[in-house]
């Protein structure tokens, strides 16, 4: 596609419910990132994939958060037993390759706004 | 730990009134400093990458500059469509791989007609 697509755009979950957020990166993009953006804050790094390999998951806030990219394209961020502090916008970003990040930046999706009630 | 601090948090200008946004950073080794624009309900949109002190980049009414400790985003004769949140982010030299960006909280800019 022409851009990074994320679904759903909005998700309301009851506390304790599991959720799955989907990211469709630009076709051919090797690098894929997930970020969490709380209201009024800048995005915070969660995890990074290069193709299907998860090279960095140091930003995942707890073991309730899990991300996968099994075929090196679509990625899913799963949050188990959601809590109110998980309410945020979850952004996905992709890049053609590591060496293109600096001159062209990442392309971000519009995000999924998760509200835990 | 890498840190990015942006100021002011919010800025309201009249159309045509030029100003600058500040981004102060501390990073173990700078690979690149990024400026992004974010509109409500959208993801950040890439504007510039700066690599080393003294570098400048321009795009339409925007000009970004970099020193060893901070970066400025200068907005010349802004228009209402320049209203957005402007985010600064740094990427550190990690010795390999593509590390995540460390973002500031952003400056919410409003340009009044």
């Amino acid at each position: 596609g022409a851009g990074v697509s994320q679904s759903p755009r909005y998700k309301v979950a009851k506390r304790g419910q599991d959720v799955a957020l989907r990211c469709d990166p630009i076709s051919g993009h090797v690098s894929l990132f997930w970020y969490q953006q709380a209201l009024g804050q800048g995005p915070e790094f969660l995890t990074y994939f290069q193709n299907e390999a998860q090279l960095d998951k140091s930003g995942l806030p707890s073991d309730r958060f899990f991300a996968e990219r099994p075929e090196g394209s679509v990625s899913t961020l799963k949050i188990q037993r959601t809590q109110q502090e998980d309410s945020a916008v979850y952004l996905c970003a992709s890049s053609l390759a590591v060496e293109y990040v600096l001159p062209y930046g990442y392309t971000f999706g519009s995000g999924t706004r998760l509200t835990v009630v | 730990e890498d840190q990015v601090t942006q100021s002011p948090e919010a800025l309201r200008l009249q159309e045509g009134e030029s100003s600058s946004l500040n981004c102060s950073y501390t990073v173990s080794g700078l690979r690149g400093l990024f400026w992004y624009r974010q509109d409500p309900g959208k993801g950040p949109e890439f504007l510039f990458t700066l690599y080393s002190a003294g570098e400048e980049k321009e795009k339409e009414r925007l000009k970004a500059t970099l020193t060893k400790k901070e970066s400025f985003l200068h907005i010349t004769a802004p228009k209402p469509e320049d209203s957005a949140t402007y985010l600064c982010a740094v990427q550190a030299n990690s010795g390999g791989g593509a590390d995540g960006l460390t973002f500031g909280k952003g400056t919410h800019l409003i340009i009044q007609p």
Side-chain angles (χ1 to χ4, degrees):
Chain A
V4 177
S5 178
Q6 293 189 245
S7 61
R9 286 285 284 123
Y10 303 94
K11 176 69 179 177
V12 178
K14 291 184 178 179
R15 191 175 55 176
Q17 186 178 358
D18 297 349
V19 298
L21 312 180
R22 177 186 170 103
C23 172
D24 278 275
I26 294 172
S27 178
H29 276 203
V30 168
S31 299
L32 185 146
F33 288 77
W34 284 98
Y35 286 85
Q36 180 190 59
Q37 187 172 25
L39 189 64
Q41 305 293 313
E44 290 193 3
F45 169 77
L46 293 177
T47 188
Y48 163 62
F49 289 88
Q50 185 171 315
N51 294 307
E52 68 278 3
Q54 189 174 20
L55 299 186
D56 188 348
K57 54 182 180 180
S58 62
L60 296 176
S62 77
D63 58 7
R64 296 186 295 105
F65 286 71
F66 172 77
E68 60 183 5
R69 194 186 185 196
E71 298 180 357
S73 55
V74 171
S75 178
T76 303
L77 177 67
K78 297 180 179 178
I79 309 174
Q80 296 177 324
R81 306 181 302 283
T82 52
Q83 300 178 5
Q84 284 192 319
E85 59 261 33
D86 299 334
S87 295
V89 174
Y90 291 85
L91 293 165
C92 177
S94 70
S95 174
L96 185 59
V98 169
E99 58 267 30
Y100 289 100
V101 169
L102 282 176
Y104 302 110
Y106 299 106
T107 302
F108 281 83
S110 292
T112 293
R113 180 178 295 277
L114 173 66
T115 303
V116 181
V117 297
Chain B
E1 182 181 341
D2 303 336
Q3 285 193 323
V4 177
T5 303
Q6 291 189 247
S7 62
E9 290 186 6
L11 181 62
R12 189 183 295 266
L13 300 172
Q14 291 297 121
E15 184 173 1
E17 181 184 0
S18 302
S19 188
S20 294
L21 313 182
N22 177 264
C23 170
S24 297
Y25 65 92
T26 55
V27 63
S28 52
L30 183 68
R31 180 183 290 174
L33 183 142
F34 299 79
W35 282 97
Y36 281 85
R37 167 191 172 128
Q38 187 172 28
D39 293 295
K42 300 286 183 65
E45 176 187 344
F46 173 75
L47 293 174
F48 304 109
T49 308
L50 301 168
Y51 299 89
S52 58
E55 188 174 4
E56 298 182 351
K57 292 270 180 76
E58 284 190 66
K59 179 181 179 180
E60 296 180 355
R61 295 177 291 281
L62 300 177
K63 179 180 176 181
T65 62
L66 183 65
T67 72
K68 288 186 178 180
K69 294 184 177 181
E70 55 192 351
S71 177
F72 292 94
L73 184 65
H74 308 276
I75 302 178
T76 302
K79 299 181 178 180
E81 54 262 40
D82 295 322
S83 298
T85 295
Y86 289 86
L87 295 165
C88 173
V90 296
Q91 188 173 53
N93 279 318
S94 66
D99 294 330
L101 304 183
T102 300
F103 281 87
K105 293 183 179 181
T107 293
H108 182 50
L109 177 66
I110 297 174
I111 308 299
Q112 294 181 310

